[in-house]
Amino acid sequence: MESTIYELTERLLTYNTSFLNYFQLARETGEKQDFHQMIKPFVDEVMAVNNEWKSLMKKWLADLTFKHIHEKQVETTADHIEKLAIQCFFPETSKSRFLNSQRTVEYFLREILKVIKT
């Protein structure tokens, strides 16, 4: 299970970087992407990985206890990922809120990778 969680966490980190890139592009150009050609397929792809990750994380946390990783953090991170996947395409998205969420996701996912590596 840990190896699958590790792989999914790495994929979510890659998506998190994409969120930032798409957001910066949307802010620079001021253009919105086509919903059916770009946004929906991307969000569906992210959500599939996100939902699988969240489910496995809950099972993993039910079996083990960690000092710095809790189920509520998993829920919050999954919610942030869901919102970021959509908001990154819209130039009117609040920059500070977006960046704070994106950094929170980055930090928590990296902490999970550290725990699995040890």
Side-chain angles (χ1 to χ4, degrees):
M1 182 187 304
E2 282 187 357
S3 64
T4 305
I5 290 172
Y6 192 88
E7 290 170 21
L8 291 172
T9 303
E10 284 189 323
R11 285 183 66 188
L12 289 174
L13 273 169
T14 301
Y15 287 135
N16 197 44
T17 301
S18 296
F19 300 156
L20 185 58
N21 292 336
Y22 285 134
F23 177 72
Q24 289 171 337
L25 182 64
R27 297 286 287 205
E28 288 170 9
T29 64
E31 296 176 8
K32 295 179 187 175
Q33 295 291 329
D34 182 79
F35 180 78
H36 293 288
Q37 289 195 359
M38 182 68 180
I39 298 172
K40 185 171 180 356
F42 179 74
V43 171
D44 289 346
E45 181 182 325
V46 171
M47 288 310 301
V49 174
N50 192 35
N51 290 336
E52 184 180 357
W53 174 82
K54 183 168 78 170
S55 175
L56 285 175
M57 283 296 295
K58 285 182 178 183
K59 289 177 189 171
W60 188 51
L61 291 175
D63 294 340
L64 302 168
T65 305
F66 297 101
K67 188 175 181 179
H68 302 292
I69 298 176
H70 307 285
E71 188 173 334
K72 181 68 178 159
Q73 290 172 298
V74 172
E75 289 285 341
T76 302
T77 300
D79 288 345
H80 282 322
I81 290 169
E82 184 176 336
K83 290 174 185 165
L84 289 169
I86 297 165
Q87 293 173 347
C88 68
F89 292 103
F90 297 94
E92 64 272 7
T93 298
S94 167
K95 184 177 181 178
S96 62
R97 186 178 307 145
F98 181 89
L99 293 176
N100 286 339
S101 296
Q102 196 266 343
R103 288 179 192 130
T104 300
V105 167
E106 179 89 15
Y107 177 80
F108 186 67
L109 294 177
R110 292 208 179 278
E111 286 301 306
I112 291 169
L113 294 178
K114 284 182 197 174
V115 167
I116 293 174
K117 284 181 185 177
T118 57

